[in-house]
Amino acid sequence: MEAVLAHLRSSIERGEHAVGDKLPSEAALSKEFEVSRSVVREALRGLQALGMTESKSGKGTFVTATGPVENPTFGPYSARDLIEVRRHVEIPVAGYAAVRRSQDDLDLLGHLVERMDAETDNTAWVALDSLFHITIAQASGNPVFGKVIEEIRDALARQSAFLNQLGDRRRQSNAEHREIVTAIAGGSESAAVAAMTAHLQYVEDTLTSIVNGDE
């Protein structure tokens, strides 16, 4: 998927596909690159998230820009929207969870990080990732925080999949998640806040690298 997306991105940036042009069909790209249509579909979603293409139902995929936008979109929300909200919600939430969490919360968080470490399917990992962040919000003892994360759950999942595919984030995310759980389990509000802050900074840095073509 990464190779297909990189090739398509490069061809658009070189002008081989101009703004307004229709890209070859999924079937044609699948044949050209000798990959499944699902791989092509994921690559096209990546281009769309980068703001370089637009998919029109029943018509195909069309080029909308010669390079990535600075602020990719994931469903109804942009990367900037998500980062701002996550900084203001998830960072203090981690601190609250450290001082208010129950043993059941800790057991579930521990179970989730174990499953994420062992998971090889990207889609399943992304679902666990969303559940991990929702569980921390619930562990804060404030149900409003859980509702906020639920509202952006789909966008977070799309962003997570995007980062994993283009930024190879899974292994590093697993390590960061363990740091967060360790801090929450230790009951240290400051350590939990620091661990979540670092996690979200890595997310932002990876997004920036992908947009700039550094990955």
Side-chain angles (χ1 to χ4, degrees):
M1 193 286 297
E2 293 90 339
V4 174
L5 190 146
H7 182 90
L8 291 173
R9 174 177 175 171
S10 178
S11 66
I12 292 171
E13 290 175 339
R14 291 196 306 268
E16 293 176 16
H17 299 292
V19 172
D21 283 357
K22 179 181 177 181
L23 292 180
S25 67
E26 286 183 9
L29 290 171
S30 176
K31 185 175 181 180
E32 177 183 349
F33 293 108
E34 299 181 344
V35 295
S36 68
R37 290 183 64 166
S38 63
V39 169
V40 170
R41 198 170 298 121
E42 286 299 314
L44 292 176
R45 284 177 183 161
L47 278 179
Q48 189 168 344
L50 286 170
M52 297 177 70
T53 62
E54 178 184 6
S55 179
K56 297 181 180 179
S57 182
K59 295 182 179 179
T61 300
F62 295 83
V63 178
T64 56
T66 56
V69 295
E70 290 185 10
N71 190 23
T73 56
F74 302 98
Y77 305 116
S78 71
R80 188 176 297 124
D81 293 338
L82 294 173
I83 287 293
E84 285 183 357
V85 168
R86 297 185 76 182
R87 279 185 186 146
H88 285 87
V89 175
E90 290 198 81
I91 289 174
V93 156
Y96 289 133
V99 296
R100 298 176 181 170
R101 82 291 185 276
S102 68
Q103 187 58 49
D104 285 345
D105 293 326
L106 291 179
D107 290 344
L108 179 52
L109 287 170
H111 176 65
L112 287 171
V113 292
E114 291 292 340
R115 286 183 62 189
M116 292 170 84
D117 274 344
E119 186 55 65
T120 57
D121 179 76
N122 191 55
T123 301
W125 188 93
V126 165
L128 291 169
D129 182 40
S130 297
L131 185 55
F132 175 82
H133 286 279
I134 288 170
T135 301
I136 291 175
Q138 292 170 340
S140 72
N142 185 332
V144 179
F145 286 133
K147 291 291 186 183
V148 172
I149 303 302
E150 280 282 4
E151 165 61 27
I152 61 173
R153 182 177 193 164
D154 181 62
L156 289 179
R158 290 172 186 244
Q159 184 186 71
S160 182
F162 179 77
L163 292 173
N164 290 344
Q165 290 161 346
L166 303 188
D168 194 23
R169 274 280 300 160
R170 263 177 57 174
R171 185 178 300 174
Q172 183 62 34
S173 284
N174 285 343
E176 292 160 20
H177 288 160
R178 283 194 174 277
E179 290 287 336
I180 293 167
V181 172
T182 297
I184 291 174
S188 171
E189 181 176 2
S190 60
V193 164
M196 184 64 80
T197 300
H199 177 55
L200 296 184
Q201 188 61 56
Y202 282 125
V203 168
E204 185 174 6
D205 291 346
T206 304
L207 269 167
T208 300
S209 294
I210 292 170
V211 168
N212 292 339
D214 299 333
E215 291 295 332

